[in-house]
Amino acid sequence: MSYDNNNIFAKILRGEIPCKKIYEDEFVLSFHDISPQKKIHALVIPKGKYIDLDDFNNKASPEEIVGFFKGVSKVASKLGISINEGNGYRTLSNIGENGGQEVPHLHFHLFGGEKIGKMVE
Ligand code: AMP
């Protein structure tokens, strides 16, 4: 499977579709999920063209990988949901059909602002 340049997050990265931006640096863009599942529901995506976590880990440079994961923590801190600034949060990344992935550009969901509850339905 090759990367689809027309997926919705690619369009957001190109500025063709608006987003409610939370944080951006050279490695990541973070914005609020359009259909929040919890009080706080943020998404963090890498700037590079990666379909999912496995594609990212196989192809991204060490700098991109470090930059992405540090970006997740920066977003949690900025949202006030990290352990230092708040009461914690949950992060998850869906991969492929069985994982329930809808948008084929790697993204981590960050859920917080309240108790998140059962791990898997
Ligand atoms: P997943 O099922 O893991 O691929 O999650 C895709 C997520 O992207 C869902 O939670 C959607 O609500 C969210 N989403 C889809 N379109 C947009 C958009 N234009 N802006 C923000 N979030 C979006």
Side-chain angles (χ1 to χ4, degrees), residues 5-6 14 38 46-48 64-65 67 83 87 94 107 120:
N5 280 304
N6 286 321
R14 290 196 296 268
K38 291 291 171 189
K47 291 257 171 109
E64 288 177 291
I65 294 174
I83 290 295
N87 290 320
N94 297 319
H107 49 283
V120 180

Side-chain angles (χ1 to χ4, degrees), residues 1 6-8 10 26 33 38 41 55 57 59 65 75 81 83 85 90 97-98 109 115 117 119:
M1 186 177 156
N6 286 321
N7 77 74
I8 199 128
E26 70 175 298
D33 196 290
K38 291 291 171 189
H41 183 176
D55 189 39
N57 283 331
K59 296 181 188 157
I65 294 174
V75 170
I81 58 175
I83 290 295
E85 285 91 0
R90 178 171 300 161
E97 193 183 338
N98 278 8
H109 298 256
K115 286 243 191 303
M119 189 156 67

Side-chain angles (χ1 to χ4, degrees), residues 9 12 31-35 43 94 100-103 107 109:
F9 293 168
I12 288 175
F31 47 91
H32 292 281
D33 196 290
I34 204 165
S35 175
L43 298 170
N94 297 319
Q101 183 176 7
E102 287 169 10
V103 180
H107 49 283
H109 298 256

Side-chain angles (χ1 to χ4, degrees), residues 25-84:
D25 63 23
E26 70 175 298
F27 297 108
V28 302
L29 175 65
S30 174
F31 47 91
H32 292 281
D33 196 290
I34 204 165
S35 175
Q37 304 296 309
K38 291 291 171 189
K39 213 177 244 181
I40 294 175
H41 183 176
L43 298 170
V44 183
I45 69 175
K47 291 257 171 109
K49 298 177 179 182
Y50 302 105
I51 300 168
D52 58 29
L53 185 62
D54 295 338
D55 189 39
F56 184 64
N57 283 331
N58 286 330
K59 296 181 188 157
S61 69
E63 289 76 19
E64 288 177 291
I65 294 174
V66 170
F68 178 73
F69 284 101
K70 281 189 177 289
V72 171
S73 290
K74 287 175 187 170
V75 170
S77 181
K78 188 156 188 196
L79 289 170
I81 58 175
S82 67
I83 290 295
N84 285 338

